[in-house]
Structures are given as C-alpha cells and as structure tokens.
Amino acid sequence: MTSVQPPIDAGVFCYNDRGILAAAKIPMGQLTLTGEPVAAPETISLPGPVVTTAPLGTSAPPPPKPSSSSPSVAPSISRSR
C-alpha cells in the first residue's frame, strides 16, 4: 500500500464558468476572488540590479567549529545554617 501527500490541501474549491478559481475554503482559511483577473503588466521594476555572477548557493552552512576553551560550569549555591 502506498500513501502520497496530496499536492493541494483538502477543501472546497469553486470555479467560474471559464474554469477560473473563484473561491477556496481550506484549513488555513478562505480565499475569495473579488474581481475579474486582468492581464499581467508587460514589465516590472526589479528590487535590485541584474548581475551576471553565479547565483547564491542553497546548501546549508558548515557546522560551527568546537570551541577550544573548557566548558563553563554553572555556579553552585551554598547555604549557611
């Protein structure tokens, strides 16, 4: 038997007569389309300059090196009678 995580959360999805999602009610909340979709703009302003260098990596950084100093010890509390 195989079980696969569904690509879309279970919920109620409503589409208009052209097959465009008009509303969705899923565990994280409800989405309702309030107007007709419009065409995307021809151009947009990017948040930074376009560069020709290599993209940033996506791997995790290496783990930190252990400290050469001795571990700290919590102070003890002595009580006088």
Side-chain angles (χ1 to χ4, degrees):
M1 179 178 240
T2 303
S3 177
V4 182
Q5 177 75 20
I8 299 174
D9 287 340
V12 178
F13 300 90
C14 300
Y15 296 90
N16 66 15
D17 56 350
R18 294 181 315 208
I20 297 173
L21 181 66
K25 188 171 186 179
I26 55 178
M28 67 178 238
Q30 183 170 332
L31 169 76
T32 304
L33 186 66
T34 60
E36 286 295 314
V38 295
E42 289 187 30
T43 61
I44 60 168
S45 298
L46 297 175
V50 176
V51 295
T52 58
T53 59
L56 295 174
T58 57
S59 60
K65 294 181 181 179
S67 176
S68 61
S69 63
S70 61
S72 62
V73 177
S76 61
I77 300 174
S78 62
R79 297 183 180 165
S80 300
R81 291 185 193 226

Coordinates of all heavy atoms in Angstrom, one line a residue:
M1 N 0.8 -1.2 0.0 CA 0.0 0.0 0.0 C 0.9 1.2 0.0 O 1.9 1.3 0.7 CB -0.9 0.0 1.2 CG -1.8 1.2 1.3 SD -2.9 1.0 2.8 CE -4.4 1.0 1.9
T2 N 0.5 2.2 -0.8 CA 1.3 3.5 -0.9 C 0.4 4.6 -0.5 O -0.7 4.7 -0.9 CB 1.9 3.7 -2.3 OG1 2.7 2.5 -2.6 CG2 2.7 4.9 -2.4
S3 N 0.9 5.6 0.2 CA 0.2 6.8 0.5 C 1.0 8.0 0.1 O 2.2 8.0 0.3 CB 0.0 6.9 2.1 OG -0.7 8.1 2.4
V4 N 0.4 8.9 -0.6 CA 1.1 10.1 -1.2 C 0.5 11.3 -0.6 O -0.8 11.4 -0.5 CB 1.0 10.1 -2.7 CG1 1.7 11.2 -3.3 CG2 1.5 8.8 -3.3
Q5 N 1.3 12.3 -0.2 CA 0.8 13.6 0.3 C 0.1 14.3 -0.9 O 0.7 14.4 -2.0 CB 2.0 14.4 0.8 CG 1.7 15.8 1.2 CD 1.0 15.8 2.6 OE1 1.1 14.9 3.3 NE2 0.3 16.9 2.8
P6 N -1.1 14.7 -0.7 CA -1.8 15.4 -1.8 C -1.2 16.7 -2.1 O -0.7 17.4 -1.2 CB -3.2 15.5 -1.3 CG -3.1 15.4 0.1 CD -1.9 14.6 0.4
P7 N -1.1 17.1 -3.4 CA -0.5 18.4 -3.8 C -1.2 19.6 -3.3 O -0.7 20.7 -3.2 CB -0.4 18.3 -5.3 CG -1.5 17.4 -5.7 CD -1.6 16.4 -4.6
I8 N -2.5 19.4 -3.1 CA -3.4 20.6 -2.6 C -4.1 20.1 -1.4 O -4.6 19.0 -1.3 CB -4.4 20.9 -3.7 CG1 -3.7 21.4 -5.0 CG2 -5.3 22.0 -3.3 CD1 -4.6 21.6 -6.2
D9 N -4.2 21.0 -0.4 CA -5.0 20.7 0.8 C -6.4 20.4 0.5 O -7.0 20.9 -0.5 CB -4.9 21.9 1.8 CG -3.6 22.1 2.5 OD1 -2.8 21.1 2.5 OD2 -3.3 23.2 2.9
A10 N -7.0 19.5 1.3 CA -8.4 19.2 1.1 C -9.2 20.4 1.4 O -8.9 21.2 2.3 CB -8.8 18.0 2.0
G11 N -10.3 20.6 0.7 CA -11.2 21.8 0.9 C -12.3 21.9 -0.1 O -12.5 21.0 -0.9
V12 N -12.9 23.0 -0.1 CA -14.0 23.3 -1.1 C -13.4 24.3 -2.1 O -13.0 25.4 -1.7 CB -15.2 23.8 -0.4 CG1 -16.3 24.2 -1.4 CG2 -15.7 22.8 0.6
F13 N -13.5 24.0 -3.4 CA -13.0 24.9 -4.4 C -14.1 25.2 -5.4 O -14.8 24.3 -5.9 CB -11.8 24.2 -5.2 CG -10.7 23.9 -4.3 CD1 -10.6 22.7 -3.7 CD2 -9.7 24.8 -4.0 CE1 -9.5 22.3 -2.8 CE2 -8.6 24.5 -3.2 CZ -8.5 23.3 -2.6
C14 N -14.3 26.5 -5.7 CA -15.4 27.0 -6.6 C -14.7 27.6 -7.8 O -13.9 28.5 -7.6 CB -16.3 27.9 -5.9 SG -17.1 27.3 -4.4
Y15 N -15.2 27.2 -9.0 CA -14.6 27.8 -10.2 C -15.8 28.4 -11.0 O -16.9 28.0 -10.9 CB -14.0 26.6 -11.1 CG -12.9 26.0 -10.4 CD1 -13.0 24.9 -9.6 CD2 -11.6 26.4 -10.6 CE1 -11.9 24.3 -9.0 CE2 -10.5 25.8 -10.0 CZ -10.7 24.8 -9.2 OH -9.6 24.2 -8.6
N16 N -15.4 29.5 -11.7 CA -16.4 30.1 -12.6 C -16.6 29.3 -13.8 O -16.0 28.3 -14.0 CB -16.1 31.6 -12.8 CG -14.9 31.8 -13.7 OD1 -14.4 30.9 -14.3 ND2 -14.4 33.0 -13.6
D17 N -17.5 29.8 -14.7 CA -17.8 29.0 -15.9 C -16.7 29.0 -16.9 O -16.7 28.2 -17.8 CB -19.1 29.6 -16.6 CG -18.9 31.1 -16.9 OD1 -18.0 31.7 -16.5 OD2 -19.8 31.6 -17.6
R18 N -15.6 29.8 -16.7 CA -14.4 29.7 -17.6 C -13.3 28.8 -16.9 O -12.2 28.8 -17.5 CB -13.9 31.1 -17.9 CG -14.9 31.9 -18.7 CD -14.3 33.2 -19.0 NE -13.8 33.8 -17.8 CZ -13.7 35.1 -17.5 NH1 -14.1 36.0 -18.4 NH2 -13.2 35.5 -16.4
G19 N -13.6 28.2 -15.8 CA -12.6 27.4 -15.1 C -11.6 28.1 -14.3 O -10.6 27.5 -13.9
I20 N -11.9 29.4 -13.9 CA -11.0 30.2 -13.1 C -11.4 30.0 -11.7 O -12.6 30.1 -11.4 CB -11.0 31.6 -13.5 CG1 -10.5 31.7 -15.0 CG2 -10.2 32.5 -12.6 CD1 -10.6 33.1 -15.6
L21 N -10.5 29.8 -10.8 CA -10.8 29.6 -9.3 C -11.4 30.9 -8.8 O -10.9 32.0 -9.0 CB -9.5 29.4 -8.5 CG -9.7 29.2 -7.0 CD1 -10.5 27.9 -6.7 CD2 -8.3 29.1 -6.4
A22 N -12.6 30.8 -8.3 CA -13.3 32.0 -7.8 C -13.3 32.0 -6.2 O -13.4 33.1 -5.7 CB -14.8 32.0 -8.3
A23 N -13.3 30.9 -5.6 CA -13.2 30.8 -4.1 C -12.7 29.5 -3.7 O -12.8 28.5 -4.4 CB -14.6 31.0 -3.5
A24 N -12.0 29.5 -2.5 CA -11.5 28.3 -1.9 C -11.6 28.4 -0.4 O -11.3 29.4 0.2 CB -10.0 28.1 -2.4
K25 N -12.1 27.3 0.2 CA -12.1 27.2 1.6 C -11.3 26.0 2.0 O -11.6 24.9 1.7 CB -13.6 27.1 2.1 CG -13.7 27.2 3.6 CD -15.2 27.3 4.0 CE -15.2 27.5 5.5 NZ -16.6 27.6 5.9
I26 N -10.1 26.3 2.6 CA -9.2 25.2 3.0 C -8.8 25.4 4.5 O -9.2 26.4 5.1 CB -7.9 25.3 2.1 CG1 -7.3 26.7 2.1 CG2 -8.2 24.9 0.7 CD1 -6.0 26.8 1.3
P27 N -8.1 24.4 5.1 CA -7.9 24.5 6.6 C -7.2 25.8 7.0 O -7.4 26.3 8.1 CB -7.0 23.3 6.8 CG -7.4 22.3 5.8 CD -7.7 23.2 4.6
M28 N -6.3 26.4 6.1 CA -5.7 27.7 6.6 C -6.5 28.9 6.4 O -6.1 30.0 6.9 CB -4.3 27.9 5.8 CG -4.5 28.1 4.3 SD -2.9 28.4 3.6 CE -3.1 30.0 2.9
G29 N -7.7 28.8 5.8 CA -8.6 30.0 5.7 C -9.4 30.0 4.4 O -9.5 28.9 3.8
Q30 N -9.9 31.1 4.1 CA -10.8 31.2 2.9 C -10.3 32.3 1.9 O -9.8 33.3 2.4 CB -12.2 31.6 3.3 CG -13.2 31.6 2.2 CD -14.6 31.8 2.7 OE1 -15.0 31.3 3.7 NE2 -15.5 32.4 1.8
L31 N -10.3 32.0 0.6 CA -9.9 32.9 -0.4 C -11.1 33.1 -1.3 O -11.8 32.2 -1.7 CB -8.7 32.2 -1.2 CG -8.4 32.9 -2.5 CD1 -7.5 34.2 -2.2 CD2 -7.6 32.0 -3.4
T32 N -11.3 34.4 -1.6 CA -12.5 34.8 -2.5 C -12.0 35.7 -3.5 O -11.4 36.8 -3.2 CB -13.6 35.4 -1.7 OG1 -14.0 34.5 -0.7 CG2 -14.8 35.7 -2.6
L33 N -12.2 35.4 -4.8 CA -11.8 36.3 -5.9 C -12.8 37.5 -5.9 O -14.1 37.2 -6.0 CB -11.8 35.6 -7.2 CG -11.4 36.3 -8.4 CD1 -9.9 36.7 -8.3 CD2 -11.6 35.5 -9.7
T34 N -12.4 38.7 -5.8 CA -13.3 39.8 -5.7 C -13.5 40.6 -7.0 O -14.3 41.5 -7.1 CB -12.8 40.8 -4.6 OG1 -11.6 41.3 -5.0 CG2 -12.8 40.2 -3.3
G35 N -12.8 40.2 -8.0 CA -12.9 40.9 -9.3 C -12.4 40.0 -10.4 O -11.9 38.9 -10.2
E36 N -12.6 40.4 -11.7 CA -12.1 39.6 -12.8 C -10.6 39.7 -12.9 O -10.0 40.8 -12.7 CB -12.7 40.1 -14.1 CG -14.2 39.8 -14.2 CD -14.3 38.3 -14.4 OE1 -13.6 37.6 -15.2 OE2 -15.2 37.7 -13.7
P37 N -9.9 38.6 -13.2 CA -8.4 38.7 -13.4 C -8.1 39.6 -14.6 O -8.8 39.6 -15.6 CB -8.0 37.2 -13.7 CG -9.2 36.4 -13.3 CD -10.4 37.3 -13.3
V38 N -7.0 40.3 -14.5 CA -6.5 41.1 -15.6 C -5.2 40.6 -16.1 O -4.5 39.9 -15.4 CB -6.4 42.6 -15.1 CG1 -7.8 43.2 -14.8 CG2 -5.5 42.8 -14.0
A39 N -4.8 41.1 -17.2 CA -3.5 40.7 -17.8 C -2.4 41.2 -17.0 O -2.5 42.3 -16.4 CB -3.4 41.2 -19.3
A40 N -1.3 40.5 -17.0 CA -0.1 40.9 -16.2 C 0.6 42.1 -16.9 O 0.4 42.2 -18.2 CB 0.9 39.7 -16.2
P41 N 1.3 42.9 -16.2 CA 2.0 44.1 -16.8 C 3.1 43.6 -17.8 O 3.6 42.5 -17.6 CB 2.5 44.9 -15.7 CG 2.6 43.9 -14.5 CD 1.5 42.9 -14.8
E42 N 3.4 44.4 -18.8 CA 4.4 44.0 -19.7 C 5.8 43.9 -19.1 O 6.6 43.1 -19.4 CB 4.5 44.9 -20.9 CG 3.3 44.7 -21.9 CD 3.4 45.6 -23.1 OE1 4.5 45.8 -23.6 OE2 2.4 46.0 -23.6
T43 N 6.1 44.9 -18.2 CA 7.3 44.9 -17.5 C 7.1 45.3 -16.0 O 6.1 45.9 -15.7 CB 8.3 46.0 -18.1 OG1 7.7 47.3 -18.0 CG2 8.6 45.7 -19.5
I44 N 8.1 45.0 -15.2 CA 8.1 45.4 -13.8 C 9.4 45.9 -13.4 O 10.4 45.7 -14.1 CB 7.7 44.2 -12.9 CG1 8.7 43.1 -13.0 CG2 6.3 43.7 -13.1 CD1 8.6 42.0 -12.0
S45 N 9.5 46.7 -12.3 CA 10.8 47.1 -11.8 C 11.3 46.1 -10.8 O 10.6 45.7 -9.9 CB 10.6 48.5 -11.1 OG 10.2 49.5 -12.0
L46 N 12.5 45.6 -11.0 CA 13.1 44.7 -10.1 C 13.6 45.3 -8.9 O 14.0 46.5 -8.9 CB 14.3 43.9 -10.8 CG 13.9 43.1 -12.1 CD1 15.1 42.5 -12.7 CD2 12.9 42.0 -11.7
P47 N 13.7 44.6 -7.7 CA 14.1 45.2 -6.5 C 15.6 45.5 -6.4 O 16.1 46.1 -5.5 CB 13.6 44.2 -5.4 CG 13.6 42.9 -6.2 CD 13.2 43.3 -7.6
G48 N 16.4 45.0 -7.4 CA 17.8 45.2 -7.3 C 18.4 45.1 -8.8 O 17.6 44.8 -9.7
P49 N 19.7 45.4 -8.9 CA 20.2 45.3 -10.3 C 20.4 43.9 -10.8 O 20.5 42.9 -10.0 CB 21.6 46.0 -10.1 CG 22.0 45.7 -8.6 CD 20.6 45.8 -7.9
V50 N 20.4 43.7 -12.1 CA 20.6 42.4 -12.7 C 22.1 42.3 -12.8 O 22.8 43.1 -13.3 CB 19.9 42.3 -14.1 CG1 20.3 41.0 -14.8 CG2 18.4 42.5 -13.9
V51 N 22.7 41.1 -12.3 CA 24.1 40.9 -12.4 C 24.4 39.6 -13.2 O 23.5 38.7 -13.3 CB 24.7 40.8 -11.0 CG1 24.6 42.2 -10.3 CG2 24.1 39.7 -10.2
T52 N 25.6 39.4 -13.6 CA 26.0 38.3 -14.4 C 26.8 37.3 -13.6 O 27.4 36.4 -14.1 CB 26.8 38.7 -15.7 OG1 27.9 39.4 -15.3 CG2 25.9 39.5 -16.6
T53 N 26.9 37.4 -12.3 CA 27.6 36.5 -11.4 C 26.8 35.2 -11.2 O 25.7 35.1 -11.5 CB 28.0 37.1 -10.1 OG1 26.8 37.5 -9.4 CG2 28.9 38.4 -10.3
A54 N 27.5 34.2 -10.6 CA 26.8 33.0 -10.2 C 25.8 33.2 -9.2 O 25.9 34.1 -8.3 CB 27.9 32.0 -9.7
P55 N 24.7 32.5 -9.2 CA 23.6 32.6 -8.2 C 24.1 32.2 -6.8 O 25.1 31.4 -6.7 CB 22.5 31.7 -8.7 CG 23.1 30.8 -9.6 CD 24.3 31.4 -10.2
L56 N 23.5 32.6 -5.8 CA 23.8 32.2 -4.5 C 23.5 30.7 -4.3 O 22.5 30.2 -4.8 CB 23.0 33.0 -3.4 CG 23.3 34.5 -3.4 CD1 22.4 35.2 -2.4 CD2 24.8 34.7 -3.0
G57 N 24.3 30.1 -3.5 CA 24.1 28.7 -3.2 C 22.9 28.4 -2.3 O 22.4 29.3 -1.6
T58 N 22.4 27.2 -2.3 CA 21.2 26.9 -1.4 C 21.6 25.8 -0.4 O 20.7 25.4 0.3 CB 20.1 26.3 -2.3 OG1 20.6 25.2 -3.0 CG2 19.6 27.4 -3.3
S59 N 22.9 25.5 -0.3 CA 23.3 24.5 0.7 C 23.4 25.1 2.1 O 23.7 26.3 2.2 CB 24.6 23.8 0.3 OG 25.6 24.7 0.2
A60 N 23.3 24.3 3.1 CA 23.4 24.8 4.5 C 24.9 25.2 4.8 O 25.8 24.6 4.2 CB 22.9 23.7 5.5
P61 N 25.1 26.1 5.7 CA 26.5 26.5 6.0 C 27.1 25.3 6.8 O 26.4 24.5 7.4 CB 26.3 27.7 6.9 CG 24.9 27.7 7.4 CD 24.1 27.0 6.4
P62 N 28.4 25.3 6.9 CA 29.1 24.2 7.7 C 28.8 24.4 9.1 O 28.5 25.5 9.6 CB 30.6 24.4 7.3 CG 30.7 25.8 6.9 CD 29.4 26.2 6.3
P63 N 28.8 23.3 9.9 CA 28.5 23.4 11.3 C 29.7 24.2 12.0 O 30.8 24.2 11.5 CB 28.5 22.0 11.8 CG 29.2 21.2 10.8 CD 29.1 21.9 9.5
P64 N 29.4 24.9 13.1 CA 30.4 25.7 13.8 C 31.5 24.8 14.4 O 31.2 23.6 14.7 CB 29.7 26.4 14.9 CG 28.4 25.6 15.1 CD 28.1 25.0 13.8
K65 N 32.7 25.3 14.4 CA 33.8 24.5 15.0 C 33.7 24.5 16.5 O 33.3 25.6 17.1 CB 35.2 25.1 14.5 CG 35.4 25.0 13.0 CD 36.7 25.6 12.6 CE 36.9 25.5 11.1 NZ 38.1 26.1 10.7
P66 N 34.1 23.4 17.2 CA 34.0 23.4 18.6 C 35.0 24.4 19.2 O 36.1 24.6 18.7 CB 34.4 22.0 19.0 CG 34.8 21.3 17.8 CD 34.5 22.2 16.6
S67 N 34.6 25.0 20.3 CA 35.5 26.0 21.0 C 36.6 25.3 21.7 O 36.5 24.2 22.2 CB 34.7 26.8 22.0 OG 35.5 27.6 22.7
S68 N 37.8 25.9 21.7 CA 39.0 25.3 22.4 C 39.0 25.5 23.9 O 39.8 24.9 24.6 CB 40.3 25.8 21.7 OG 40.3 27.2 21.9
S69 N 38.2 26.4 24.4 CA 38.1 26.7 25.8 C 37.3 25.6 26.5 O 36.5 24.9 25.9 CB 37.5 28.0 26.1 OG 36.2 28.1 25.7
S70 N 37.6 25.4 27.8 CA 36.8 24.4 28.6 C 35.4 24.8 28.8 O 35.1 26.0 28.8 CB 37.5 24.2 29.9 OG 37.5 25.4 30.7
P71 N 34.5 23.9 28.9 CA 33.1 24.2 29.0 C 32.8 25.0 30.3 O 33.5 24.8 31.3 CB 32.4 22.9 29.0 CG 33.4 21.9 29.3 CD 34.7 22.5 28.9
S72 N 31.9 25.9 30.3 CA 31.6 26.6 31.5 C 30.8 25.8 32.5 O 30.0 24.9 32.1 CB 30.8 27.9 31.2 OG 29.6 27.5 30.6
V73 N 31.0 26.0 33.8 CA 30.3 25.2 34.8 C 29.4 26.2 35.5 O 29.8 27.3 35.9 CB 31.3 24.6 35.8 CG1 30.5 23.9 36.9 CG2 32.2 23.7 35.0
A74 N 28.1 25.8 35.7 CA 27.2 26.7 36.4 C 27.6 26.8 37.9 O 28.1 25.8 38.5 CB 25.8 26.1 36.4
P75 N 27.6 28.0 38.5 CA 28.0 28.2 39.9 C 27.0 27.4 40.8 O 25.9 27.3 40.5 CB 27.9 29.7 40.1 CG 26.9 30.2 39.0 CD 27.1 29.2 37.9
S76 N 27.6 27.0 41.9 CA 26.8 26.3 42.9 C 26.4 27.3 44.0 O 27.1 28.2 44.2 CB 27.5 25.1 43.5 OG 28.7 25.5 44.1
I77 N 25.3 27.0 44.6 CA 24.8 27.9 45.7 C 25.0 27.1 47.0 O 24.5 26.0 47.2 CB 23.3 28.2 45.5 CG1 23.1 28.9 44.1 CG2 22.8 29.0 46.6 CD1 21.7 29.2 43.8
S78 N 25.8 27.8 47.9 CA 26.0 27.1 49.2 C 25.1 27.9 50.2 O 25.0 29.1 50.2 CB 27.4 27.2 49.6 OG 27.8 28.5 49.7
R79 N 24.5 27.2 51.1 CA 23.6 27.8 52.1 C 24.3 27.6 53.5 O 24.7 26.5 53.8 CB 22.3 27.1 52.1 CG 21.6 27.4 50.8 CD 20.2 26.8 50.8 NE 19.5 27.1 49.5 CZ 18.5 26.5 49.1 NH1 17.9 25.6 49.9 NH2 17.9 26.8 48.0
S80 N 24.4 28.6 54.2 CA 24.9 28.6 55.6 C 23.7 28.3 56.6 O 22.6 28.8 56.4 CB 25.6 29.9 56.0 OG 26.6 30.1 55.1
R81 N 24.0 27.5 57.6 CA 23.0 27.3 58.6 C 23.2 28.1 59.8 O 24.1 28.5 60.2 CB 23.0 25.8 59.0 CG 22.6 25.0 57.8 CD 22.5 23.5 58.3 NE 22.4 22.7 57.1 CZ 21.5 21.7 57.1 NH1 20.7 21.5 58.1 NH2 21.4 21.0 56.0

